[in-house]
Amino acid sequence: MKMDYNNMLAERIGPEGIPINALTALTPQIEKATRAMKEKRPQMAWRDLPYNQAQIVKDIQAYTAQMKPQIDAFVVLGIGGSALGPLAVQQALNHPFYNELPREKRGNNPKLYVVDNVDPERLVYLFQTIDPTRCLFNVISKSGSTSETMSQFMIIQAMLEDKLGKEAARKHIVCTTDPESGNLIAIAKKEGYKTFYVPSAVGGRFSELTPVGLLPAAFCGIDIEGLLEGAAQMDAMCQQDDIAKNPAHMFAALHCLGLAQGKNISVLMPYADSLKLIAAWYGQLWAESLGKKYDLDGKTVHTGQTPVNALGSTDQHSQVQLYAEGPYDKIVVLIGVDEYRETITIPNTYADMPSLGFLGGTTHNQLLKTMQTATEYALTKAGRMNMTITLPKVTSQSVGQLLYFFEVATAFAGELLNINAFDQPGVEEGKDATYALFGRPGYEAKKAELDAAQPKDSQYVI
Ligand code: PA5
């Protein structure tokens, strides 16, 4: 993986860029953050995942080998960090129309469905699509208490028990959760469900390389050892003290400097369909980790950058107009690949029409790469901060590298911003209000608070 940040710099893009001396001036904070990353490494249990899961990988492989012949579909019930990673890795590494392929063309692996919402239409339509008695349902919840996931679980459990009886239903549920705390582990033990664990010290959005992501990936034939190998390769690069050799630290430093210059939006724009959902996964990681009211000294900072996911070249025809000519408030990160996994040639059909003939005999590979180069040029010419990450090819190793790269960048940005990148207090108010409105015991005071809130004025409702 290569990262080119030329176009972040004022020397290339003009006054809206980062002056190189601003990067130099950040050296004390960078050194402090680099030290903190080392000192806090024991608390960042996600950093050890590439090294300490050999037995877990074996268990996953044994379990998938045993279960695959018994099922047609693997269904993930999870949300946020318990769904975005499995979705992103599946899209990156498997056929884009995976579920529509006949089984033998899927490597004899089951279909994959990820149910990450409680829209009532979703489960009903899923039940119209699958035969639940030929499915394995993977309930993924680190906390074991998320209302969306746990309610889905209760619906599926009741349906399976109704159709199959309690004993047979048990084999259709596998849990992924914290080994000690939460409702799900208690239920899994009581009911005797097969269970994989998310280490207690690994938070939801940093959990893709635990069984949260490894189990669904293994069921879909993805090389999970390759993912972990890639993460280990990136870890080696990210341990460099010299920021000029450390892509994740540099990515974070440039984004923090950009933020200080009013670049409040972080756009991730892969030029590969396979990486589209990596941008969605990054969106959660960057937003939930860095969007914070208080810093570590208790000062009100209201910091963070709003992530936006785009896709090249699709969004050249929607959002790029805004990126090039709208407010100077974005950093655009383009992700390219040296080599696409397939090649498709454009026929020379209209050689006599110069405005179409130039396409003939070239490939979509060349066209998409050229469009990326052209977008980079247009953004640079317009004085917009942009940078490029290039993967040699989308493989399990390079995807493992990319995931780990963004995780380290997020943690390092947290250090530079002096905030806790691993909590999410801003999510709590909405969760508590839901519990109160839904009558969960213990939330009576919150319910009273909601009841006492100023009623809406009907004159402002049309
Ligand atoms: O990053 C996080 O902690 C969250 O986005 C969680 O992943 C999300 O809320 C789901 O939580 P859980 O896995 O506990 O059900």
Side-chain angles (χ1 to χ4, degrees):
M1 192 187 115
K2 278 188 309 230
M3 189 178 85
D4 174 354
Y5 60 94
N6 272 280
N7 300 333
M8 294 293 288
L9 303 175
E11 283 72 7
R12 269 183 69 84
I13 63 166
E16 288 294 326
I18 297 168
I20 198 74
N21 57 10
L23 188 58
T24 316
L26 198 69
T27 303
Q29 288 96 313
I30 289 171
E31 286 176 356
K32 186 170 171 237
T34 306
R35 280 196 301 278
M37 289 292 282
K38 283 187 189 160
E39 283 158 21
K40 294 183 188 172
R41 186 162 174 137
Q43 288 118 61
M44 295 187 200
W46 53 271
R47 293 211 65 168
D48 296 329
L49 297 171
Y51 312 107
N52 60 9
Q53 296 193 95
Q55 187 54 47
I56 292 165
V57 166
K58 277 193 192 141
D59 293 348
I60 287 176
Q61 285 166 342
Y63 180 64
T64 51
Q66 175 206 335
M67 291 304 295
K68 272 183 193 179
Q70 301 176 44
I71 60 167
D72 296 331
F74 186 86
V75 184
V76 168
L77 310 176
I79 198 164
S82 296
L84 287 161
L87 280 165
V89 167
Q90 168 73 355
Q91 191 189 56
L93 294 168
N94 266 332
H95 194 288
F97 307 109
Y98 176 88
N99 276 1
E100 287 148 62
L101 294 175
R103 185 158 184 148
E104 61 277 12
K105 291 199 174 164
R106 279 186 265 124
N108 225 8
N109 296 309
K111 293 180 180 179
L112 177 74
Y113 296 93
V114 178
V115 189
D116 64 348
N117 200 359
V118 285
D119 180 330
E121 295 170 16
R122 184 91 161 256
L123 271 184
V124 172
Y125 293 154
L126 180 71
F127 295 151
Q128 290 169 7
T129 310
I130 58 170
D131 171 2
T133 64
R134 290 283 307 164
C135 289
L136 181 60
F137 294 90
N138 184 195
V139 192
I140 310 181
S141 178
K142 167 77 197 313
S143 63
S145 61
T146 303
S147 300
E148 290 91 332
T149 307
M150 295 311 288
S151 63
Q152 287 167 345
F153 158 69
M154 288 187 268
I155 292 166
I156 301 280
Q157 181 198 46
M159 185 198 56
L160 286 171
E161 290 184 1
D162 188 45
K163 281 187 190 295
L164 299 168
K166 203 169 174 60
E167 184 56 35
R170 185 174 295 136
K171 288 199 187 68
H172 292 265
I173 293 174
V174 53
C175 301
T176 308
T177 190
D178 188 283
E180 278 139 32
S181 67
N183 297 323
L184 187 54
I185 187 63
I187 293 169
K189 282 182 179 160
K190 179 168 169 274
E191 304 286 355
Y193 295 141
K194 173 80 181 163
T195 304
F196 290 90
Y197 301 112
V198 192
S200 297
V202 176
R205 57 193 174 274
F206 288 83
S207 68
E208 171 52 18
L209 295 172
T210 71
V212 167
L214 299 181
L215 187 64
F219 265 97
C220 296
I222 288 169
D223 171 16
I224 58 174
E225 285 163 309
L227 282 172
L228 295 171
E229 269 164 39
Q233 288 157 4
M234 183 50 65
D235 184 36
M237 290 182 80
C238 293
Q239 289 188 49
Q240 307 267 356
D241 286 351
D242 180 358
I243 193 160
K245 296 186 182 140
N246 189 322
H249 288 191
M250 183 60 87
F251 180 96
L254 293 168
H255 276 72
C256 291
L257 285 168
L259 183 61
Q261 289 182 211
K263 311 297 179 257
N264 298 316
I265 298 173
S266 165
V267 179
L268 202 61
M269 187 169 183
Y271 273 74
D273 279 12
S274 59
L275 300 177
K276 185 176 174 184
L277 291 179
I278 294 273
W281 170 85
Y282 163 82
Q284 186 216 10
L285 187 68
W286 203 246
E288 204 164 322
S289 303
L290 304 181
K292 296 289 152 72
K293 179 175 178 181
Y294 298 111
D295 72 7
L296 291 173
D297 304 318
K299 203 170 118 204
T300 304
V301 287
H302 293 296
T303 193
Q305 238 166 5
T306 304
V308 169
N309 19 320
L311 180 70
S313 68
T314 309
D315 283 304
Q316 282 182 223
H317 302 271
S318 70
Q319 298 199 25
V320 168
Q321 169 61 31
L322 174 76
Y323 302 168
E325 293 193 358
Y328 284 93
D329 57 0
K330 299 171 198 66
I331 299 174
V332 181
V333 179
L334 308 173
I335 307 187
V337 295
D338 282 331
E339 193 188 335
Y340 292 94
R341 289 167 291 191
E342 302 292 342
T343 301
I344 189 154
T345 304
I346 307 166
N348 234 327
T349 319
Y350 295 105
D352 56 332
M353 291 174 72
S355 57
L356 278 185
F358 75 99
L359 292 170
T362 66
T363 62
H364 269 180
N365 312 49
Q366 291 166 301
L367 186 57
L368 192 51
K369 274 197 208 186
T370 306
M371 285 173 160
Q372 183 190 330
T373 307
T375 299
E376 183 185 346
Y377 172 74
L379 291 173
T380 305
K381 187 173 171 189
R384 308 300 164 139
M385 281 190 196
N386 68 91
M387 58 200 285
T388 303
I389 292 171
T390 309
L391 304 185
K393 198 173 180 179
V394 179
T395 61
S396 52
Q397 281 83 0
S398 66
V399 168
Q401 285 188 14
L402 197 59
L403 296 172
Y404 200 87
F405 162 82
F406 282 127
E407 289 177 352
V408 177
T410 303
F412 195 74
E415 288 303 325
L416 287 175
L417 296 171
N418 189 36
I419 49 107
N420 181 352
F422 303 104
D423 65 0
Q424 50 283 326
V427 176
E428 297 309 322
E429 187 64 38
K431 276 192 179 178
D432 290 350
T434 305
Y435 294 147
L437 292 167
F438 243 60
R440 179 173 162 178
Y443 288 80
E444 294 76 12
K446 181 59 71 182
K447 177 74 168 64
E449 183 190 308
L450 280 153
D451 289 344
Q454 191 187 359
K456 285 187 177 171
D457 189 332
S458 62
Q459 70 171 315
Y460 300 125
V461 182
I462 297 170

